[in-house]
Amino acid sequence: MHRTHGIDLSEVSVTHDGRRALGPLSLRLSEARIGIVGRNGSGKSTLLRVIAGLVTPDAGAVRVAGADVVRDRAAALRAVGILFQNPDHQIIFPTVIEEVAFGLTQLGAPRAEARRRAAEVLEAQGRAGWADRSTHALSQGQRQFLCLLAVLAMAPQTIVLDEPFTGLDIPTRLQLGRAIAGLSQQVVMVTHDVALLEGFDRVLWLDGGELRGDGPAATVLAAFTDAMQAEGARDPCWP
C-alpha cells in the first residue's frame, strides 16, 4: 500500500492521576514496520492508544494519515486500527460475521452492505466457514485472528498492535506472525519479545514516558537488551 501520510505527533503529553505517563513527544513515523519496546509502565501502551485516538493527550496534536485522531473519531477509525493484547477485551458480538461487520457499520455502511463486505474479508482470508460460528467457541488464537480480520475489514492505513502474541501457543504465534508480516498497512507493534522486531525498519525505546532510543531495529534492540540485562543483574529492590 502506498502511504502519502504516516503518523505525526507534535509535543504530545499525557498524565494519569497527576503523573506524567508520556511525553512531551514529537515524532514523525513513516516507516512500514515500527516496533516499540520498554519496561512495564514506560508508556508503550499509552502511546499506542494515543495514536489510535483512544486516549486524549493533555497537550499536543496527533495525526494519522492526515487525520486528526483526537478531534475526528470517524476519520480516526478510517486511518488506524488497533489490536489489543487480550481479544476478549475487543470482541463484543456473538458471531464472527457480526464482529467483522461492526466496524463497517461504524464507518456508515448499511447493515446488509457491512455483512456482505465482512463476508468478502472472511473469504479472502480463507475463513468463510467462520461466518456463523460463535465467537466464544473460538480458541484464543482464533479470537485474536478474528480481531485482526475486523480491523482489516475497515481498511485502515495503519495498524497498531499491543503485545498481540501474549498467551498464544507456538503454532498460533507462527500463523498470526505470518498474517501480520503479510499486511500491506503500516504496522506499529509493542512487544517485550525483541526477536519479533528483528527486521523492522525502526524501533522506539520508551523509558518513563520519554524516548530513550530511536533508530534502526538492530541498533536500538541491542542497546535495549544490554540495558535490561544490566538491570536484571542488580540486586532486587523488592523483598
Side-chain angles (χ1 to χ4, degrees), residues 1 42 44 46 80-82 84 93 96 114 117 152 179 196 200:
M1 175 182 291
S42 62
K44 304 185 301 299
T46 299
V80 57
I82 186 167
F84 295 106
F93 285 91
V96 168
R117 288 164 59 185
L152 291 177
L196 295 173
F200 270 45

Side-chain angles (χ1 to χ4, degrees), residues 84-127:
F84 295 106
Q85 180 180 132
N86 187 341
D88 294 334
H89 293 165
Q90 197 157 353
I91 295 172
I92 58 177
F93 285 91
T95 66
V96 168
I97 192 73
E98 289 175 297
E99 186 66 33
V100 177
F102 174 63
L104 295 168
T105 62
Q106 285 190 302
L107 294 179
R111 184 173 180 273
E113 172 69 8
R115 287 180 69 91
R116 183 187 66 78
R117 288 164 59 185
E120 290 176 351
V121 169
L122 292 173
E123 177 72 32
Q125 295 293 327
R127 299 297 189 277

